[in-house]
Amino acid sequence: MAKTAQQPVLVIMGVSGSGKSTVAGVLAGKLGWDLAEGDDLHPESNVAKMHSGQALTDEDRWPWLGIISDWITGHVEAGVPAIITCSALKKKYRDVLRAEGVVFVFLQGSKDKISDRLASRHGHFMPPSLLESQFDALEEPTEDENYISLCVSASPAEEADEVIERLGLHPVTGDAEAGAK
């Protein structure tokens, strides 16, 4: 029996407002893959800090990145393709998340474009005032990292289709939970 190529775990990354959650949701819907929202995994202290307009420090982020890394590792080890959102702004953060079978999908856009998106977003704990700190912290992926970049100028559905096409992804068939056991 021929072995099919393992589909990856995708880390949808970029600054706040780049469309990570929206694109990840569209991808998960099209592919039938597990999806986790990295922001939901933040400790309450991080959420409170960001909500008050304070940027997170590296020390604030390490426990959160550990939780995300564990989620990724569980899927990779089980052979279950999945999608998780995480800003992953610095290379040292991505180094924590990196593993065989992980692909970073970098959603990039201009500060003006993303600022416009943030201004129209409601109900998120990350205030638009912290966008500057996100761009200041951003270290774009380099050629030694397993990633693709997408410009955030298209619709989320078009961006998801581009990810699927560029990475040769396909929907899960059968029971993904069976692979996780």
Side-chain angles (χ1 to χ4, degrees):
M1 182 172 154
K3 184 176 180 184
T4 59
Q6 171 63 41
Q7 293 288 279
V9 171
L10 302 178
V11 177
I12 311 300
M13 63 163 287
V15 298
S16 185
S18 60
K20 296 182 296 289
S21 298
T22 304
V23 172
V26 173
L27 276 167
K30 288 178 178 262
L31 296 168
W33 291 10
D34 289 352
L35 171 64
E37 176 60 56
D39 283 345
D40 292 344
L41 302 176
H42 269 293
E44 187 57 41
S45 58
N46 285 5
V47 174
K49 190 171 184 177
M50 287 183 283
H51 189 69
S52 73
Q54 298 176 62
L56 296 180
T57 65
D58 286 350
E59 291 308 310
D60 295 325
R61 286 186 177 95
W62 294 127
W64 172 62
L65 290 166
I67 293 166
I68 291 173
S69 177
D70 290 346
W71 189 92
I72 290 169
T73 299
H75 282 79
V76 169
E77 289 178 354
V80 176
I83 302 162
I84 190 163
T85 62
C86 176
S87 53
L89 297 176
K90 294 182 180 181
K91 187 175 190 314
K92 65 184 176 181
Y93 303 161
R94 293 188 298 275
D95 288 346
V96 171
L97 306 177
R98 247 197 276 197
E100 182 77 26
V102 172
V103 177
F104 293 94
V105 177
F106 176 37
L107 302 180
Q108 61 184 137
S110 71
K111 203 177 292 184
D112 288 341
K113 172 92 171 158
I114 292 177
S115 181
D116 289 345
R117 286 181 168 200
L118 277 176
S120 66
R121 184 165 77 174
H122 302 286
H124 194 275
F125 58 79
M126 177 75 164
S129 61
L130 289 180
L131 181 61
E132 188 72 34
S133 69
Q134 294 251 305
F135 273 99
D136 289 347
L138 178 62
E139 297 170 2
E140 294 190 11
T142 57
E143 62 186 46
D144 66 323
E145 298 179 77
N146 191 14
Y147 82 100
I148 62 169
S149 290
L150 267 73
C151 182
V152 297
S153 60
S155 73
E158 291 168 326
E159 290 170 8
D161 287 342
E162 183 177 344
V163 171
I164 290 168
E165 181 180 325
R166 287 176 62 187
L167 295 176
L169 306 177
H170 53 79
V172 169
T173 55
D175 182 11
E177 290 301 315
K181 293 181 182 171

mmCIF file of all heavy atoms in Angstrom, residues 136-179:
data_model
loop_
_atom_site.group_PDB
_atom_site.id
_atom_site.type_symbol
_atom_site.label_atom_id
_atom_site.label_comp_id
_atom_site.label_asym_id
_atom_site.label_seq_id
_atom_site.Cartn_x
_atom_site.Cartn_y
_atom_site.Cartn_z
ATOM 1 N N ASP A 136 6.878 46.679 15.293
ATOM 2 C CA ASP A 136 8.233 46.834 15.831
ATOM 3 C C ASP A 136 8.848 45.478 16.177
ATOM 4 O O ASP A 136 10.043 45.267 15.995
ATOM 5 C CB ASP A 136 8.229 47.719 17.088
ATOM 6 C CG ASP A 136 7.962 49.187 16.778
ATOM 7 O OD1 ASP A 136 8.028 49.581 15.592
ATOM 8 O OD2 ASP A 136 7.662 49.930 17.732
ATOM 9 N N ALA A 137 8.033 44.565 16.682
ATOM 10 C CA ALA A 137 8.528 43.241 17.097
ATOM 11 C C ALA A 137 8.673 42.269 15.926
ATOM 12 O O ALA A 137 9.427 41.302 16.012
ATOM 13 C CB ALA A 137 7.586 42.630 18.134
ATOM 14 N N LEU A 138 7.970 42.527 14.835
ATOM 15 C CA LEU A 138 7.929 41.580 13.718
ATOM 16 C C LEU A 138 9.295 41.340 13.092
ATOM 17 O O LEU A 138 9.985 42.275 12.689
ATOM 18 C CB LEU A 138 6.966 42.085 12.638
ATOM 19 C CG LEU A 138 6.850 41.224 11.385
ATOM 20 C CD1 LEU A 138 6.310 39.834 11.698
ATOM 21 C CD2 LEU A 138 5.969 41.921 10.349
ATOM 22 N N GLU A 139 9.662 40.077 13.035
ATOM 23 C CA GLU A 139 10.830 39.619 12.287
ATOM 24 C C GLU A 139 10.280 38.681 11.218
ATOM 25 O O GLU A 139 9.826 37.576 11.524
ATOM 26 C CB GLU A 139 11.801 38.868 13.203
ATOM 27 C CG GLU A 139 12.378 39.725 14.304
ATOM 28 C CD GLU A 139 13.150 38.920 15.345
ATOM 29 O OE1 GLU A 139 13.284 37.680 15.213
ATOM 30 O OE2 GLU A 139 13.609 39.546 16.319
ATOM 31 N N GLU A 140 10.268 39.147 9.990
ATOM 32 C CA GLU A 140 9.692 38.338 8.913
ATOM 33 C C GLU A 140 10.452 37.024 8.783
ATOM 34 O O GLU A 140 11.668 36.976 8.993
ATOM 35 C CB GLU A 140 9.701 39.123 7.604
ATOM 36 C CG GLU A 140 8.777 40.316 7.658
ATOM 37 C CD GLU A 140 8.572 40.973 6.301
ATOM 38 O OE1 GLU A 140 8.981 40.395 5.270
ATOM 39 O OE2 GLU A 140 7.978 42.066 6.286
ATOM 40 N N PRO A 141 9.741 35.946 8.431
ATOM 41 C CA PRO A 141 10.417 34.652 8.256
ATOM 42 C C PRO A 141 11.526 34.749 7.206
ATOM 43 O O PRO A 141 11.460 35.560 6.282
ATOM 44 C CB PRO A 141 9.298 33.725 7.772
ATOM 45 C CG PRO A 141 8.040 34.377 8.216
ATOM 46 C CD PRO A 141 8.301 35.851 8.180
ATOM 47 N N THR A 142 12.515 33.898 7.382
ATOM 48 C CA THR A 142 13.657 33.868 6.480
ATOM 49 C C THR A 142 13.711 32.517 5.773
ATOM 50 O O THR A 142 12.980 31.585 6.127
ATOM 51 C CB THR A 142 14.966 34.103 7.255
ATOM 52 O OG1 THR A 142 15.087 33.110 8.278
ATOM 53 C CG2 THR A 142 14.980 35.486 7.898
ATOM 54 N N GLU A 143 14.596 32.424 4.787
ATOM 55 C CA GLU A 143 14.621 31.232 3.940
ATOM 56 C C GLU A 143 14.948 29.947 4.686
ATOM 57 O O GLU A 143 14.670 28.863 4.177
ATOM 58 C CB GLU A 143 15.572 31.429 2.766
ATOM 59 C CG GLU A 143 17.008 31.644 3.157
ATOM 60 C CD GLU A 143 17.880 31.975 1.968
ATOM 61 O OE1 GLU A 143 17.493 32.814 1.137
ATOM 62 O OE2 GLU A 143 18.964 31.366 1.882
ATOM 63 N N ASP A 144 15.478 30.014 5.898
ATOM 64 C CA ASP A 144 15.755 28.790 6.660
ATOM 65 C C ASP A 144 14.520 28.293 7.421
ATOM 66 O O ASP A 144 14.585 27.289 8.113
ATOM 67 C CB ASP A 144 16.925 28.992 7.625
ATOM 68 C CG ASP A 144 16.626 29.982 8.726
ATOM 69 O OD1 ASP A 144 15.928 30.978 8.467
ATOM 70 O OD2 ASP A 144 17.094 29.752 9.867
ATOM 71 N N GLU A 145 13.392 28.997 7.266
ATOM 72 C CA GLU A 145 12.151 28.594 7.920
ATOM 73 C C GLU A 145 11.187 28.045 6.872
ATOM 74 O O GLU A 145 11.197 28.477 5.722
ATOM 75 C CB GLU A 145 11.519 29.792 8.639
ATOM 76 C CG GLU A 145 12.412 30.344 9.743
ATOM 77 C CD GLU A 145 11.805 31.545 10.433
ATOM 78 O OE1 GLU A 145 10.893 31.341 11.259
ATOM 79 O OE2 GLU A 145 12.233 32.675 10.137
ATOM 80 N N ASN A 146 10.361 27.091 7.281
ATOM 81 C CA ASN A 146 9.389 26.477 6.379
ATOM 82 C C ASN A 146 8.134 27.357 6.375
ATOM 83 O O ASN A 146 7.288 27.245 7.270
ATOM 84 C CB ASN A 146 9.075 25.055 6.842
ATOM 85 C CG ASN A 146 8.298 24.277 5.815
ATOM 86 O OD1 ASN A 146 8.204 24.668 4.660
ATOM 87 N ND2 ASN A 146 7.732 23.164 6.236
ATOM 88 N N TYR A 147 8.028 28.244 5.378
ATOM 89 C CA TYR A 147 6.916 29.190 5.349
ATOM 90 C C TYR A 147 6.549 29.579 3.923
ATOM 91 O O TYR A 147 7.317 29.380 2.987
ATOM 92 C CB TYR A 147 7.269 30.451 6.148
ATOM 93 C CG TYR A 147 8.092 31.455 5.376
ATOM 94 C CD1 TYR A 147 7.502 32.564 4.790
ATOM 95 C CD2 TYR A 147 9.463 31.283 5.208
ATOM 96 C CE1 TYR A 147 8.261 33.477 4.064
ATOM 97 C CE2 TYR A 147 10.220 32.192 4.497
ATOM 98 C CZ TYR A 147 9.610 33.288 3.925
ATOM 99 O OH TYR A 147 10.348 34.186 3.204
ATOM 100 N N ILE A 148 5.345 30.154 3.827
ATOM 101 C CA ILE A 148 4.930 30.867 2.630
ATOM 102 C C ILE A 148 4.397 32.215 3.093
ATOM 103 O O ILE A 148 3.932 32.350 4.225
ATOM 104 C CB ILE A 148 3.875 30.108 1.791
ATOM 105 C CG1 ILE A 148 2.578 29.894 2.575
ATOM 106 C CG2 ILE A 148 4.431 28.785 1.276
ATOM 107 C CD1 ILE A 148 1.409 29.386 1.741
ATOM 108 N N SER A 149 4.465 33.214 2.237
ATOM 109 C CA SER A 149 3.924 34.548 2.533
ATOM 110 C C SER A 149 2.740 34.816 1.629
ATOM 111 O O SER A 149 2.746 34.430 0.462
ATOM 112 C CB SER A 149 4.971 35.632 2.267
ATOM 113 O OG SER A 149 5.993 35.575 3.208
ATOM 114 N N LEU A 150 1.762 35.500 2.177
ATOM 115 C CA LEU A 150 0.602 35.947 1.411
ATOM 116 C C LEU A 150 0.363 37.413 1.709
ATOM 117 O O LEU A 150 0.379 37.820 2.873
ATOM 118 C CB LEU A 150 -0.659 35.190 1.845
ATOM 119 C CG LEU A 150 -1.061 33.942 1.098
ATOM 120 C CD1 LEU A 150 -0.127 32.819 1.434
ATOM 121 C CD2 LEU A 150 -2.471 33.588 1.444
ATOM 122 N N CYS A 151 0.111 38.183 0.686
ATOM 123 C CA CYS A 151 -0.267 39.579 0.852
ATOM 124 C C CYS A 151 -1.749 39.616 1.214
ATOM 125 O O CYS A 151 -2.548 38.901 0.610
ATOM 126 C CB CYS A 151 -0.015 40.345 -0.445
ATOM 127 S SG CYS A 151 -0.403 42.089 -0.301
ATOM 128 N N VAL A 152 -2.118 40.433 2.198
ATOM 129 C CA VAL A 152 -3.494 40.442 2.678
ATOM 130 C C VAL A 152 -4.428 41.314 1.837
ATOM 131 O O VAL A 152 -5.416 41.818 2.342
ATOM 132 C CB VAL A 152 -3.570 40.844 4.172
ATOM 133 C CG1 VAL A 152 -2.867 39.844 5.031
ATOM 134 C CG2 VAL A 152 -3.038 42.245 4.396
ATOM 135 N N SER A 153 -4.165 41.415 0.576
ATOM 136 C CA SER A 153 -4.992 42.259 -0.287
ATOM 137 C C SER A 153 -6.190 41.530 -0.886
ATOM 138 O O SER A 153 -7.120 42.165 -1.369
ATOM 139 C CB SER A 153 -4.134 42.852 -1.404
ATOM 140 O OG SER A 153 -3.574 41.818 -2.184
ATOM 141 N N ALA A 154 -6.189 40.217 -0.872
ATOM 142 C CA ALA A 154 -7.296 39.448 -1.448
ATOM 143 C C ALA A 154 -8.348 39.163 -0.370
ATOM 144 O O ALA A 154 -8.150 39.450 0.809
ATOM 145 C CB ALA A 154 -6.765 38.136 -2.026
ATOM 146 N N SER A 155 -9.441 38.554 -0.781
ATOM 147 C CA SER A 155 -10.463 38.159 0.191
ATOM 148 C C SER A 155 -9.942 36.958 0.986
ATOM 149 O O SER A 155 -9.067 36.223 0.504
ATOM 150 C CB SER A 155 -11.761 37.778 -0.528
ATOM 151 O OG SER A 155 -11.609 36.522 -1.164
ATOM 152 N N PRO A 156 -10.468 36.727 2.188
ATOM 153 C CA PRO A 156 -10.035 35.567 2.961
ATOM 154 C C PRO A 156 -10.212 34.242 2.203
ATOM 155 O O PRO A 156 -9.344 33.366 2.281
ATOM 156 C CB PRO A 156 -10.914 35.615 4.210
ATOM 157 C CG PRO A 156 -11.216 37.069 4.381
ATOM 158 C CD PRO A 156 -11.366 37.588 2.967
ATOM 159 N N ALA A 157 -11.287 34.111 1.440
ATOM 160 C CA ALA A 157 -11.500 32.877 0.671
ATOM 161 C C ALA A 157 -10.432 32.715 -0.405
ATOM 162 O O ALA A 157 -9.921 31.610 -0.619
ATOM 163 C CB ALA A 157 -12.894 32.873 0.040
ATOM 164 N N GLU A 158 -10.067 33.817 -1.060
ATOM 165 C CA GLU A 158 -9.012 33.755 -2.079
ATOM 166 C C GLU A 158 -7.661 33.451 -1.440
ATOM 167 O O GLU A 158 -6.869 32.689 -1.991
ATOM 168 C CB GLU A 158 -8.945 35.072 -2.859
ATOM 169 C CG GLU A 158 -10.148 35.307 -3.756
ATOM 170 C CD GLU A 158 -10.225 36.725 -4.299
ATOM 171 O OE1 GLU A 158 -9.825 37.687 -3.601
ATOM 172 O OE2 GLU A 158 -10.698 36.872 -5.443
ATOM 173 N N GLU A 159 -7.418 34.027 -0.272
ATOM 174 C CA GLU A 159 -6.164 33.755 0.427
ATOM 175 C C GLU A 159 -6.094 32.279 0.834
ATOM 176 O O GLU A 159 -5.059 31.631 0.681
ATOM 177 C CB GLU A 159 -6.027 34.669 1.652
ATOM 178 C CG GLU A 159 -5.797 36.118 1.259
ATOM 179 C CD GLU A 159 -5.905 37.096 2.417
ATOM 180 O OE1 GLU A 159 -6.023 36.661 3.594
ATOM 181 O OE2 GLU A 159 -5.876 38.314 2.160
ATOM 182 N N ALA A 160 -7.208 31.741 1.332
ATOM 183 C CA ALA A 160 -7.254 30.325 1.711
ATOM 184 C C ALA A 160 -7.023 29.442 0.485
ATOM 185 O O ALA A 160 -6.258 28.464 0.545
ATOM 186 C CB ALA A 160 -8.594 29.987 2.367
ATOM 187 N N ASP A 161 -7.656 29.780 -0.628
ATOM 188 C CA ASP A 161 -7.453 29.003 -1.855
ATOM 189 C C ASP A 161 -5.991 29.040 -2.293
ATOM 190 O O ASP A 161 -5.448 28.034 -2.758
ATOM 191 C CB ASP A 161 -8.344 29.534 -2.992
ATOM 192 C CG ASP A 161 -9.809 29.183 -2.802
ATOM 193 O OD1 ASP A 161 -10.131 28.265 -1.999
ATOM 194 O OD2 ASP A 161 -10.653 29.840 -3.453
ATOM 195 N N GLU A 162 -5.345 30.185 -2.136
ATOM 196 C CA GLU A 162 -3.934 30.292 -2.506
ATOM 197 C C GLU A 162 -3.062 29.395 -1.623
ATOM 198 O O GLU A 162 -2.154 28.728 -2.107
ATOM 199 C CB GLU A 162 -3.457 31.747 -2.416
ATOM 200 C CG GLU A 162 -2.012 31.909 -2.869
ATOM 201 C CD GLU A 162 -1.524 33.346 -2.862
ATOM 202 O OE1 GLU A 162 -2.339 34.289 -2.800
ATOM 203 O OE2 GLU A 162 -0.295 33.524 -2.926
ATOM 204 N N VAL A 163 -3.350 29.354 -0.327
ATOM 205 C CA VAL A 163 -2.599 28.481 0.584
ATOM 206 C C VAL A 163 -2.783 27.022 0.161
ATOM 207 O O VAL A 163 -1.806 26.272 0.056
ATOM 208 C CB VAL A 163 -3.061 28.676 2.052
ATOM 209 C CG1 VAL A 163 -2.445 27.618 2.965
ATOM 210 C CG2 VAL A 163 -2.712 30.075 2.536
ATOM 211 N N ILE A 164 -4.021 26.633 -0.098
ATOM 212 C CA ILE A 164 -4.317 25.249 -0.502
ATOM 213 C C ILE A 164 -3.557 24.893 -1.773
ATOM 214 O O ILE A 164 -2.924 23.835 -1.856
ATOM 215 C CB ILE A 164 -5.840 25.050 -0.675
ATOM 216 C CG1 ILE A 164 -6.529 25.107 0.703
ATOM 217 C CG2 ILE A 164 -6.152 23.741 -1.396
ATOM 218 C CD1 ILE A 164 -8.042 25.212 0.640
ATOM 219 N N GLU A 165 -3.595 25.790 -2.746
ATOM 220 C CA GLU A 165 -2.927 25.525 -4.020
ATOM 221 C C GLU A 165 -1.406 25.478 -3.866
ATOM 222 O O GLU A 165 -0.745 24.547 -4.340
ATOM 223 C CB GLU A 165 -3.314 26.595 -5.038
ATOM 224 C CG GLU A 165 -2.685 26.374 -6.397
ATOM 225 C CD GLU A 165 -3.071 27.454 -7.393
ATOM 226 O OE1 GLU A 165 -4.218 27.936 -7.337
ATOM 227 O OE2 GLU A 165 -2.215 27.805 -8.218
ATOM 228 N N ARG A 166 -0.848 26.474 -3.198
ATOM 229 C CA ARG A 166 0.614 26.559 -3.085
ATOM 230 C C ARG A 166 1.208 25.399 -2.292
ATOM 231 O O ARG A 166 2.324 24.973 -2.564
ATOM 232 C CB ARG A 166 1.021 27.892 -2.467
ATOM 233 C CG ARG A 166 0.834 29.044 -3.455
ATOM 234 C CD ARG A 166 1.131 30.390 -2.858
ATOM 235 N NE ARG A 166 2.508 30.524 -2.418
ATOM 236 C CZ ARG A 166 2.952 31.573 -1.743
ATOM 237 N NH1 ARG A 166 2.152 32.572 -1.436
ATOM 238 N NH2 ARG A 166 4.220 31.635 -1.370
ATOM 239 N N LEU A 167 0.460 24.894 -1.302
ATOM 240 C CA LEU A 167 0.984 23.816 -0.466
ATOM 241 C C LEU A 167 0.455 22.435 -0.872
ATOM 242 O O LEU A 167 0.841 21.428 -0.282
ATOM 243 C CB LEU A 167 0.657 24.083 1.013
ATOM 244 C CG LEU A 167 1.341 25.313 1.614
ATOM 245 C CD1 LEU A 167 0.871 25.537 3.045
ATOM 246 C CD2 LEU A 167 2.864 25.184 1.556
ATOM 247 N N GLY A 168 -0.423 22.381 -1.873
ATOM 248 C CA GLY A 168 -0.962 21.093 -2.320
ATOM 249 C C GLY A 168 -1.766 20.385 -1.235
ATOM 250 O O GLY A 168 -1.670 19.167 -1.076
ATOM 251 N N LEU A 169 -2.565 21.143 -0.510
ATOM 252 C CA LEU A 169 -3.334 20.589 0.607
ATOM 253 C C LEU A 169 -4.602 19.917 0.103
ATOM 254 O O LEU A 169 -5.119 20.251 -0.958
ATOM 255 C CB LEU A 169 -3.692 21.702 1.593
ATOM 256 C CG LEU A 169 -2.515 22.521 2.110
ATOM 257 C CD1 LEU A 169 -3.014 23.643 3.026
ATOM 258 C CD2 LEU A 169 -1.512 21.636 2.835
ATOM 259 N N HIS A 170 -5.113 18.988 0.897
ATOM 260 C CA HIS A 170 -6.372 18.345 0.545
ATOM 261 C C HIS A 170 -7.182 18.069 1.798
ATOM 262 O O HIS A 170 -6.628 17.956 2.894
ATOM 263 C CB HIS A 170 -6.145 17.072 -0.271
ATOM 264 C CG HIS A 170 -5.201 16.098 0.359
ATOM 265 N ND1 HIS A 170 -5.567 15.247 1.375
ATOM 266 C CD2 HIS A 170 -3.892 15.847 0.123
ATOM 267 C CE1 HIS A 170 -4.529 14.514 1.736
ATOM 268 N NE2 HIS A 170 -3.501 14.858 0.993
ATOM 269 N N PRO A 171 -8.504 17.962 1.628
ATOM 270 C CA PRO A 171 -9.374 17.729 2.775
ATOM 271 C C PRO A 171 -9.080 16.403 3.473
ATOM 272 O O PRO A 171 -8.582 15.462 2.859
ATOM 273 C CB PRO A 171 -10.781 17.701 2.166
ATOM 274 C CG PRO A 171 -10.654 18.409 0.872
ATOM 275 C CD PRO A 171 -9.255 18.136 0.390
ATOM 276 N N VAL A 172 -9.395 16.387 4.756
ATOM 277 C CA VAL A 172 -9.289 15.148 5.532
ATOM 278 C C VAL A 172 -10.372 14.202 5.043
ATOM 279 O O VAL A 172 -11.506 14.609 4.815
ATOM 280 C CB VAL A 172 -9.505 15.438 7.039
ATOM 281 C CG1 VAL A 172 -9.658 14.156 7.822
ATOM 282 C CG2 VAL A 172 -8.362 16.249 7.588
ATOM 283 N N THR A 173 -10.004 12.950 4.849
ATOM 284 C CA THR A 173 -11.004 11.937 4.528
ATOM 285 C C THR A 173 -11.049 10.953 5.671
ATOM 286 O O THR A 173 -10.026 10.648 6.285
ATOM 287 C CB THR A 173 -10.661 11.199 3.216
ATOM 288 O OG1 THR A 173 -9.345 10.656 3.326
ATOM 289 C CG2 THR A 173 -10.727 12.147 2.041
ATOM 290 N N GLY A 174 -12.213 10.480 5.979
ATOM 291 C CA GLY A 174 -12.346 9.552 7.108
ATOM 292 C C GLY A 174 -12.396 10.305 8.411
ATOM 293 O O GLY A 174 -12.704 11.496 8.476
ATOM 294 N N ASP A 175 -12.074 9.647 9.489
ATOM 295 C CA ASP A 175 -12.181 10.187 10.833
ATOM 296 C C ASP A 175 -10.836 10.687 11.330
ATOM 297 O O ASP A 175 -9.961 9.892 11.641
ATOM 298 C CB ASP A 175 -12.752 9.106 11.761
ATOM 299 C CG ASP A 175 -12.958 9.587 13.182
ATOM 300 O OD1 ASP A 175 -12.865 10.818 13.422
ATOM 301 O OD2 ASP A 175 -13.218 8.736 14.040
ATOM 302 N N ALA A 176 -10.665 12.004 11.401
ATOM 303 C CA ALA A 176 -9.397 12.569 11.877
ATOM 304 C C ALA A 176 -9.137 12.168 13.318
ATOM 305 O O ALA A 176 -8.005 12.006 13.725
ATOM 306 C CB ALA A 176 -9.433 14.095 11.763
ATOM 307 N N GLU A 177 -10.191 11.985 14.105
ATOM 308 C CA GLU A 177 -10.012 11.605 15.510
ATOM 309 C C GLU A 177 -9.347 10.231 15.612
ATOM 310 O O GLU A 177 -8.630 9.971 16.556
ATOM 311 C CB GLU A 177 -11.350 11.614 16.244
ATOM 312 C CG GLU A 177 -11.910 12.996 16.453
ATOM 313 C CD GLU A 177 -10.983 13.910 17.240
ATOM 314 O OE1 GLU A 177 -10.429 13.473 18.269
ATOM 315 O OE2 GLU A 177 -10.788 15.055 16.826
ATOM 316 N N ALA A 178 -9.592 9.365 14.648
ATOM 317 C CA ALA A 178 -8.983 8.033 14.699
ATOM 318 C C ALA A 178 -7.463 8.142 14.633
ATOM 319 O O ALA A 178 -6.754 7.374 15.264
ATOM 320 C CB ALA A 178 -9.489 7.165 13.536
ATOM 321 N N GLY A 179 -6.964 9.126 13.910
ATOM 322 C CA GLY A 179 -5.521 9.327 13.814
ATOM 323 C C GLY A 179 -4.929 9.887 15.091
ATOM 324 O O GLY A 179 -3.746 9.778 15.334
#
